[in-house]
């Protein structure tokens, strides 16, 4: 069946998947650097020298070559293509069911974004766990398949859902805050500033992404630590980070994550909105 004849939820799924594919391919190196930075934190001694984003980036290129920056791209795609598609499909379905033709307010937008992310986050969590393990470089997995097989054999299938609480505490607020700011910024965009719709969407998405990323950064640090060290509970991870590294430990990897999440979200929403217009749906 042609896309033009498909159900609106399927159209939203396809548009979301395409937008997620493009953004993930471009910004995967930032995600790898962010994961390495946060993983290094759990092995560093207090008071040791600070390791920055550029140091990690150069070390990956030197030891794993340039293509090493795209390590973990396959689980990223496995998560992003269905995950972003499911997110936008759920978002569109919720919006049409609850608000119909009305535009949601700030609170409604936050609930829409958070609800859609909760659904996609739980469904795609096993892929997220394998991605974090594979990218961190600590376990020496030669492939994603080997990582999945070894985790299930040595730790059991429940390990694939490690860090669920931390993941939801990060992703649900991020998406809710992002959609809220994104909608409010688009509504208040000065009419005298005449630019193309995609540029307006990308600009608003960038600003919303920076705000949402900074607010949810501590939860991302905790999530990565729990998924790389499944013996830790979320509360234990929070306590460990604070005791060993202080409050600044919760900001580890903030720069690459902020860059990546902001640019991915801004690009994904820009492409999604344009694709939805193309297939004749209001985003």
């Amino acid at each position: 069946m042609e896309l033009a004849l498909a159900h609106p939820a399927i159209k939203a799924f396809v548009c979301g998947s395409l937008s997620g594919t493009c953004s993930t391919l471009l910004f995967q190196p930032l995600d790898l650097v962010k994961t390495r930075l946060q993983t290094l934190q759990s092995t560093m001694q207090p008071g040791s020298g600070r390791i920055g984003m550029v140091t990690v980036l150069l070390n990956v290129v030197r030891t794993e070559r340039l293509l090493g920056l795209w390590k973990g791209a396959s689980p990223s795609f496995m998560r992003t293509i269905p995950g972003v598609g499911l997110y936008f499909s759920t978002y569109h379905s919720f919006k049409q069911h609850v608000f119909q033709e009305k535009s949601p307010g700030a609170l409604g937008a936050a609930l829409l974004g958070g609800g859609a992310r909760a659904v996609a986050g739980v469904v795609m969590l096993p892929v997220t766990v394998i991605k974090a393990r594979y990218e961190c470089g600590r376990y020496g997995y030669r492939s994603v398949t080997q990582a999945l097989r070894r985790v299930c054999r040595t730790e059991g299938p429940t390990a694939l859902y490690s860090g669920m609480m931390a993941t939801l505490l990060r992703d649900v607020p991020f998406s809710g805050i992002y959609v809220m700011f994104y909608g409010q910024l688009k509504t208040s965009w000065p009419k005298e500033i005449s630019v193309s719709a995609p540029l307006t969407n990308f600009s608003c998405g960038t600003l919303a992404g920076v705000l949402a990323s900074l607010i949810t950064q501590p939860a991302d640090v905790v999530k990565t630590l729990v998924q790389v060290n499944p013996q830790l509970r979320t509360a234990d991870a929070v306590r460990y980070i604070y005791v060993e590294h202080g409050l600044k430990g919760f900001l580890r990897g903030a720069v690459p994550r902020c860059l990546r999440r902001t640019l991915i979200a801004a690009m994904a929403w820009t492409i999604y909105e344009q694709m939805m217009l193309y297939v004749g749906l209001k985003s």
Side-chain angles (χ1 to χ4, degrees):
M1 181 183 293
E2 293 184 0
L3 185 59
L5 302 178
H7 189 278
I10 297 176
K11 291 181 180 180
F13 182 90
V14 173
C15 293
S17 297
L18 288 174
S19 70
T21 300
C22 296
S23 53
T24 299
L25 180 63
L26 285 174
F27 304 120
Q28 172 63 20
L30 289 173
D31 190 50
L32 179 111
V33 171
K34 183 268 298 182
T35 301
R36 294 286 177 92
L37 274 173
Q38 293 179 350
T39 305
L40 280 172
Q41 175 177 266
S42 64
T43 59
M44 290 173 60
Q45 296 299 319
S48 57
R50 182 178 180 275
I51 299 177
M53 174 181 167
V54 175
T55 303
V56 173
L57 181 70
L58 293 176
N59 183 64
V60 172
V61 173
R62 185 172 60 252
T63 58
E64 304 175 46
R65 299 186 179 180
L66 187 62
L67 288 178
L69 292 172
W70 275 266
K71 185 175 183 179
S74 53
S76 288
F77 282 127
M78 289 168 59
R79 180 187 65 169
T80 300
I81 293 176
V84 178
L86 180 61
Y87 168 77
F88 278 117
S89 179
T90 305
Y91 172 85
H92 182 76
S93 298
F94 283 174
K95 185 177 179 182
Q96 293 302 309
H97 180 72
V98 177
F99 295 97
Q100 298 176 351
E101 295 301 318
K102 297 182 296 183
S103 296
L107 179 59
L111 292 174
L112 276 176
R117 177 55 61 193
V119 173
V122 171
V123 172
M124 301 307 300
L125 185 61
V127 183
T128 303
V129 172
I130 294 300
K131 172 181 171 295
R133 296 284 194 94
Y134 186 65
E135 284 181 352
C136 75
R138 178 188 297 180
Y139 293 89
Y141 298 135
R142 293 190 299 273
S143 67
V144 175
T145 304
Q146 184 196 49
L148 176 62
R149 200 163 45 233
R150 190 178 296 177
V151 169
C152 290
R153 185 172 64 246
T154 60
E155 302 171 42
T158 55
L160 296 175
Y161 286 89
S162 60
M164 176 184 287
M165 183 59 66
T167 300
L168 292 178
L169 286 173
R170 178 200 66 171
D171 287 351
V172 172
F174 175 89
S175 185
I177 293 168
Y178 180 90
V179 174
M180 179 184 69
F181 280 133
Y182 180 69
Q184 294 301 303
L185 286 167
K186 283 185 65 177
T187 301
S188 59
W189 186 264
K191 297 295 187 293
E192 58 270 16
I193 302 179
S194 179
V195 295
S196 64
L199 183 57
T200 299
N201 293 340
F202 190 83
S203 300
C204 293
T206 300
L207 291 173
V210 170
L211 293 170
S213 294
L214 291 176
I215 292 171
T216 58
Q217 174 63 24
D220 184 69
V221 177
V222 174
K223 185 273 306 181
T224 300
L225 186 60
V226 171
Q227 290 182 343
V228 174
N229 303 277
Q231 72 278 7
L232 284 177
R233 293 179 300 176
T234 300
D236 295 330
V238 172
R239 189 160 46 247
Y240 171 84
I241 294 168
Y242 179 73
V243 170
E244 297 294 334
H245 303 281
L247 290 176
K248 66 180 181 181
F250 292 101
L251 297 177
R252 191 78 176 183
V255 173
R257 176 177 180 261
C258 190
L259 284 172
R260 176 185 174 274
R261 288 302 297 264
T262 296
L263 293 174
I264 280 185
M267 179 169 285
W269 272 88
T270 300
I271 296 174
Y272 168 75
E273 298 230 46
Q274 292 305 114
M275 288 291 297
M276 290 290 277
L277 287 174
Y278 179 76
V279 300
L281 287 178
K282 184 180 178 181
S283 59

